[in-house]
Structures are given as structure tokens and as C-alpha cells.
Amino acid sequence: MRVLDSHLHLWDPEVLTYTWLEGPMAYRFADLELEHARLGLAEPEKSVFVQAETIEDDFLAEVDWVAGLAPAIGIVGIVAGIRLDRGTDTVAHLEGLLAEPLVVGVRHNLQGEPDGLAVSAAFVTGAREVAARDLSFDVCVRENQLPDIARLAGAIPELRLVLDHLGKPAVGTAASPLAPSAEWARDLTELARHANAFCKLSGLPGEAGGDWSAEQLEPFLDVAADAFGVERLMWGSDWPVSVIGPAEAGDPHAPEDGAATYQPTARSRWADAVIAWAETRGHDLDALLWRNAEQFYRTDRPRLLQTDVAPRSGLRSWLRGHRG
């Protein structure tokens, strides 16, 4: 069974700067750590790296770092960090990203941004520049922001966008599950009306704080399948964000105080849960686990290196001097 993980993070606080890492996540998660979290039955297993929210000055350095790790660990695409509301600075950043053939898309992390930013004139202009370069846009929002993303999709129908983590709906926990809300289902369905909008089956274990069951999360997968159709869904692990939570049974390193910790088997458990759900519903497993992500990110069509862009080191210095 081949697997293309559409949503993998890597980070190393000794190499790049992050302001949000804390607790069990404030450690290195890179090549060695990923090797211990491989999916047992996946052959081949490849991944798309999604930017891990370094500080803005490190956006391009993150691309360089991941590109250096990519051949050894099976990364076939990079979704790079960017600010899309910076006008000419956004254009310059995009041109710099084109110097790395592994860059297949960008992400301006919207989940902590003010409502309305995604449909502001500056942001829409930047998103049009993304579409013009045939790059995709990863959408990381919370469920109340979904209507803005539907409006963005309507304003730029040629923009290929993919919703991370099903829009982060409230799912509860294994012991206290929540049903999909009518508002979330409505807004997800409205976004799905746009043909170039896709959705990742990812992140729900993280929304449950690592305390989840397959039965709890299957109703959310059903809503996504009804809205997008299986041909516009893709599996993602959201590793290592979604593998932090209560210690797994038998973990010899479990914190004595019961604090959240790294769950060694959670990446595989999420893959197994989605596979079991798909098999029960008769969904196309290869589409969910490989083909849709490959076609969306165009990892089967390597992008040629651009030679008419500014040198990477010079662009980094320029961006540092022009941060907003």
C-alpha cells in the first residue's frame, strides 16, 4: 500500500527559530525521529512537508533546511511559509521560492489572524500571484473562518487550495465526543462547491488533544466525504503536532504526573483509523492515501528550476530588511 502523507511537519529549534513550541513539542522532530514513526505497511512512503511556522525571517531558511533532508526521508514536496498580504514583498518572496524545485505550494497560516484578512484586497492580490505561478495554497483556519475561505475560493477560482485539518472543527475527546456541528458542516459544504478546493483528512487527533477514538472522529470524515467527494480528499498525519497527548498504554516513558507526552504509535493509529473508515465505506484507498495528494501538489510533474530569480541569500537579507 503506497502512502503519500500530505501534511508532515519537521522542526529543529537548534537550526531555526519558533515562538510557539512548548512542552513535548519543544524538541527536535526531523529525520531520525520520523524514522521511528514510519507507517509499518506503507511501501513506498513519501511525504509533503508543510511549513512549521518559524519566525518570518526563517521562512526561506526552512525551505533550504527541509530540501537538504528531503532525499533521505522521502519528502517530495514543500509547502513554504509566506505572508500573502505584503504586496511587492509577497511577489519577491514567491520569486525566491521558485528557485527550489521542491516547493509545490505556500501557506500563510490564517488560524490566528483577524477575521476578514483572507478576503482583504492585499491578501486576495497575493493569492492571485500564487495562482499565477501554479503553486497551491494550504489553508489553516478554524471553523468560524471557513466562510472567508469560500469567498476567497470564489474570488480566485483558478487558485488550487486545500483545507488543512477539515477546518479544525470541535471534536471533543474519546470520553466526551462531540458530533459535527450543523454550522461547520454547512460551511464545509459551501467551500466544497468550488471545484479547486480540496480537504485534508488530518489534524483531528490534535483537535482532540491526542485523546481520541476512531468512532468519535468517523462522523467528521463522513461529512467531508459527502461534501468534497473522495476525489478531493487526502490523508495527512499532521506529525508531530497530532501525536501529542495522554501517554499510550505501556509507554515506559510516560510522565508520572500524567502530563501530555509524545505518542509513539499515534501516526500509525491515525492512518489505520482512516484506512478502516475508507474500507468500511467502500472508498478508493489509493486516491485517499496517494493519488489525490500527488495530483493536487503535482509531485508527479517536477517543476523546473527557475533561473531568473534573486539569489537565495540575497533575498533573505532583503526580506529581513523589509519585514512589516
Side-chain angles (χ1 to χ4, degrees), residues 140-197:
C140 185
V141 294
R142 300 200 175 276
E143 57 182 319
N144 64 292
Q145 297 171 295
L146 283 172
D148 278 354
I149 303 308
R151 291 173 60 194
L152 176 67
I156 317 174
E158 68 274 20
L159 178 65
R160 289 180 293 116
L161 62 84
V162 58
L163 180 65
D164 297 344
H165 317 326
L166 293 86
K168 295 197 163 189
V171 300
T173 63
S176 300
L178 295 176
S181 72
E183 294 78 13
W184 169 76
R186 177 199 65 208
D187 293 340
L188 194 76
T189 301
E190 184 60 31
L191 174 59
R193 295 187 194 282
H194 299 278
N196 272 333

Side-chain angles (χ1 to χ4, degrees), residues 4-18:
L4 175 52
D5 185 345
S6 70
H7 202 96
L8 181 85
H9 298 296
L10 304 168
W11 59 71
D12 187 345
E14 296 297 319
V15 175
L16 302 165
T17 302
Y18 313 81

